[in-house]
């Protein structure tokens, strides 16, 4: 009885989730088609901006009178912009609008076809939905001008099941820029094409980390112990800021070596990389002693803690101001240790973007 009840519950919940996603997809596809028809009508008539405004105003009045809310002039403009932004997906959208999905995952094509697309252009077989987010999320995404950045947030919102507020929060924190600034050119291209894929220790890094959720005053004095306590109190937020796959193990983890006790501020484990991640918190200037200490922590975990089938330990020093030259001269090139800056406030996205542009220009000069 219990197994039967469990199976039926799972079936019902799965069906309800599928219905919600289907409704979202139908709305998004319908709005895309409305936007397409508005754009094509404009192209056949006057191209003056005044004509477009008058058209949307008149169209809004007629549609609202017949169908009610949802067809304001601003919403119609969103649909128009949505089509212009994603018109490169027209073939995939044609598949989704024309296909009849069967229980076994196969599809048949009805006699009706998507306007402007011949049936012969639509390949058979299992189809991939052209859109996976809600309409409100796509309205927000169309406001992002940078194509790579927009693709990144669409992929991440889908893979992490972000709500609209969560999507806006990640955007406002400059997640794309902060990840991009800690990668090389190829890594930035992968961000746009695949989202954040954690396959090596460098994939965990951001520049900088944003700890504004801790509520610490940037101008007030606080100790490393205060910082650590605030992080533990907001551990869920901290793990989300660190990124994908992190699990918390301990704070002030003690180990003894040569009859002397040592304490690691935070010990985490990343299940995607299958490795320990040690975090040391520093509020002052980064020194070579800090780097040497972290190297010793990492060496100890690699030799006495990690299992044979686990990957090498990663050390991250979170500091107010890092010193790249000092890190480079102090640590060997293959060291799994990184000094990363943190901020107690949301960074200015424009400054992050400018920094990313300057970083790209510098990388091109170095290659030349």
């Amino acid at each position: 009885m219990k197994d039967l009840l469990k199976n039926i519950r799972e079936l019902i919940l799965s069906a309800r989730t599928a219905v919600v996603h289907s409704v979202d997809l139908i709305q998004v596809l319908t709005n895309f088609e409305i936007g397409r028809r508005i754009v094509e009508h404009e192209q056949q008539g006057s191209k003056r901006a005044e004509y477009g405004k008058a058209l949307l105003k008149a169209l809004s009045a007629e549609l609202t009178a017949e169908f009610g809310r949802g067809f304001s002039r601003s919403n119609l403009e969103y649909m128009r912009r949505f089509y212009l932004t994603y018109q490169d997906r027209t073939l995939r959208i044609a598949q989704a609008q024309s296909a009849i999905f069967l229980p076994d995952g196969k599809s048949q094509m009805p006699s009706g076809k998507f306007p402007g697309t011949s049936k012969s252009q639509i390949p058979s077989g299992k189809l991939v939905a052209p859109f996976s987010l809600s309409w409100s999320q796509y309205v927000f995404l169309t406001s992002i001008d940078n194509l790579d950045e927009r693709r990144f947030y669409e992929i991440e919102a889908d893979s992490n099941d972000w709500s609209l507020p969560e999507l806006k929060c990640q955007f406002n924190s400059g997640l794309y820029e902060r990840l991009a600034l800690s990668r090389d050119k190829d890594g930035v291209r992968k961000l746009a094409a695949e989202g954040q894929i954690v396959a090596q220790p460098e994939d965990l890094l951001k520049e900088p980390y944003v700890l504004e959720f801790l509520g610490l005053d940037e101008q007030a004095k606080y100790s490393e112990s205060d910082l650590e306590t605030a992080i533990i109190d907001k551990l869920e937020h901290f793990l989300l800021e660190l990124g994908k796959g992190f699990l918390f193990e301990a704070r002030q983890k003690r180990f003894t070596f040569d009859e002397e006790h040592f304490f690691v501020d935070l010990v985490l484990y990343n299940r995607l990389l299958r490795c320990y991640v040690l975090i040391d918190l520093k509020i002052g200037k980064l020194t070579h002693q800090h780097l040497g200490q972290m190297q010793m922590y990492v060496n100890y975990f690699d030799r006495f803690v990690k299992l044979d089938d686990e990957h090498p330990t990663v050390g991250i020093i979170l500091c107010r101001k890092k010193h790249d030259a000092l890190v480079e001269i102090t640590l060997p090139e293959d060291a799994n240790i990184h000094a990363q800056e943190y901020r107690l406030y949301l960074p200015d996205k424009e400054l992050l973007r400018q920094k990313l542009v300057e970083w790209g220009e510098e990388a091109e000069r170095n290659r030349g």
Side-chain angles (χ1 to χ4, degrees), residues 210-310:
V210 179
L211 307 182
E212 50 85 23
F213 54 84
L214 298 180
L216 295 175
D217 189 344
E218 179 74 14
Q219 305 302 322
K221 290 185 177 180
Y222 60 90
S223 66
E224 290 168 1
S225 178
D226 294 332
L227 179 60
E228 180 185 319
T229 299
I231 286 175
I232 295 300
D233 288 343
K234 299 283 187 178
L235 185 59
E236 181 180 359
H237 293 81
F238 181 66
L239 293 179
L240 287 174
E241 171 59 19
L242 286 179
K244 298 180 178 180
F246 278 98
L247 305 172
F248 176 75
E249 178 168 306
R251 70 182 291 196
Q252 290 298 310
K253 176 76 172 181
R254 189 183 82 168
F255 66 89
T256 303
F257 183 73
D258 198 21
E259 299 184 355
E260 187 173 354
H261 299 311
F262 300 93
F263 298 86
V264 184
D265 288 344
L266 300 172
V267 177
L268 307 171
Y269 191 84
N270 190 278
R271 61 183 182 82
L272 300 179
L273 292 182
R274 297 188 66 253
C275 70
Y276 283 98
V277 179
L278 313 181
I279 295 183
D280 214 8
L281 305 171
K282 300 300 177 185
I283 62 173
K285 181 180 178 181
L286 181 69
T287 67
H288 68 275
Q289 288 93 340
H290 296 152
L291 295 168
Q293 182 183 55
M294 178 56 80
Q295 180 74 76
M296 186 264 290
Y297 291 167
V298 167
N299 289 345
Y300 181 88
F301 267 72
D302 278 346
R303 295 172 188 176
F304 302 107
V305 180
K306 87 174 186 69
L307 302 177
D308 291 339
D309 62 343
E310 291 178 324

Side-chain angles (χ1 to χ4, degrees), residues 5-21:
L5 178 60
K6 178 182 177 182
N7 290 337
I8 293 176
R9 286 186 73 257
E10 291 176 350
L11 177 63
I12 293 173
L13 292 174
S14 177
R16 288 181 176 179
T17 300
V19 167
V20 170
H21 287 306

Side-chain angles (χ1 to χ4, degrees), residues 25 31 37 95 127-128 165 171 176 194 220 228 307 321 332 337 365:
L25 178 58
N31 291 346
R37 297 188 183 198
Q95 294 175 324
L127 304 179
V128 178
F171 174 80
Y176 172 74
E194 305 172 7
E228 180 185 319
L307 302 177
K321 184 67 176 177
I337 296 172
R365 288 195 297 270

